[in-house]
Amino acid sequence: MIEVYIDGASAGNPGPSGAGIFIKGNGTLEKYSIPLGSMSNHEAEFLALIEALDICYKKGLVHSIISFRTDSELVNMAMDREFTKNKSYAPLLEKALKLTKKFDLFFMKWIPSAENKVADELARLAIQKNIRED
């Protein structure tokens, strides 16, 4: 099984944001730190998932058993229910759900922040990259 840990972070709300993605499985570890521009923390969390899905798709992992892990209760609940109360997140949720349809199996699990430290560090690194580019 492949485990994909995701996290989004913002320095301000909104503010410079980043996505952290940590993929482990099949004997490999991959780390991605992606600057996202200025947005809210919740938007960054959704975009971290979208970026992770896109990376996994491009790597040809659509037939693999992949478990996505997030410490965002909002994103986890929205994906589980395929609904978000906040209409500003609806386009992001729709894009994420559309990407999941490309995979044979899609699993998402909420984990405590303490279990998501690598993705969190990568997201914070992406914020720093974002600030340096401004």
Side-chain angles (χ1 to χ4, degrees):
M1 177 178 1
I2 299 167
E3 296 174 355
V4 180
Y5 295 82
I6 60 169
D7 200 13
S10 294
N13 204 19
S17 303
I21 301 163
F22 176 53
I23 302 172
K24 70 179 191 177
N26 297 336
T28 63
L29 299 175
E30 297 180 43
K31 296 178 180 180
Y32 299 87
S33 187
I34 305 166
L36 298 174
S38 183
M39 62 189 62
S40 74
N41 186 67
H42 291 312
E43 289 169 312
E45 295 278 7
F46 275 106
L47 281 169
L49 173 60
I50 290 166
E51 292 285 346
L53 286 163
D54 194 47
I55 289 167
C56 291
Y57 176 75
K58 288 177 179 172
K59 292 178 65 56
L61 300 175
V62 294
H63 303 298
S64 302
I65 298 172
I66 305 175
S67 176
F68 289 81
R69 316 283 173 98
T70 180
D71 60 12
S72 170
E73 291 183 41
L74 174 79
V75 171
N76 187 60
M77 200 176 305
M79 292 298 293
D80 185 50
R81 296 179 180 170
E82 298 187 8
F83 174 78
T84 178
K85 287 181 185 177
N86 188 322
K87 300 298 179 209
S88 65
Y89 305 143
L92 296 170
L93 174 61
E94 186 178 321
K95 186 170 185 177
L97 289 169
K98 186 176 179 182
L99 284 167
T100 65
K101 304 298 185 227
K102 296 179 178 184
F103 292 79
D104 290 348
L105 295 169
F106 172 79
F107 299 101
M108 178 168 259
K109 176 182 178 183
W110 177 85
I111 58 172
S113 297
E115 294 177 26
N116 206 27
K117 287 184 178 178
V118 175
D120 178 67
E121 289 171 11
L122 292 166
R124 294 181 188 288
L125 179 62
I127 290 172
Q128 295 307 311
K129 289 181 188 177
N130 206 354
I131 291 170
R132 284 193 297 269
E133 290 174 3
D134 283 347

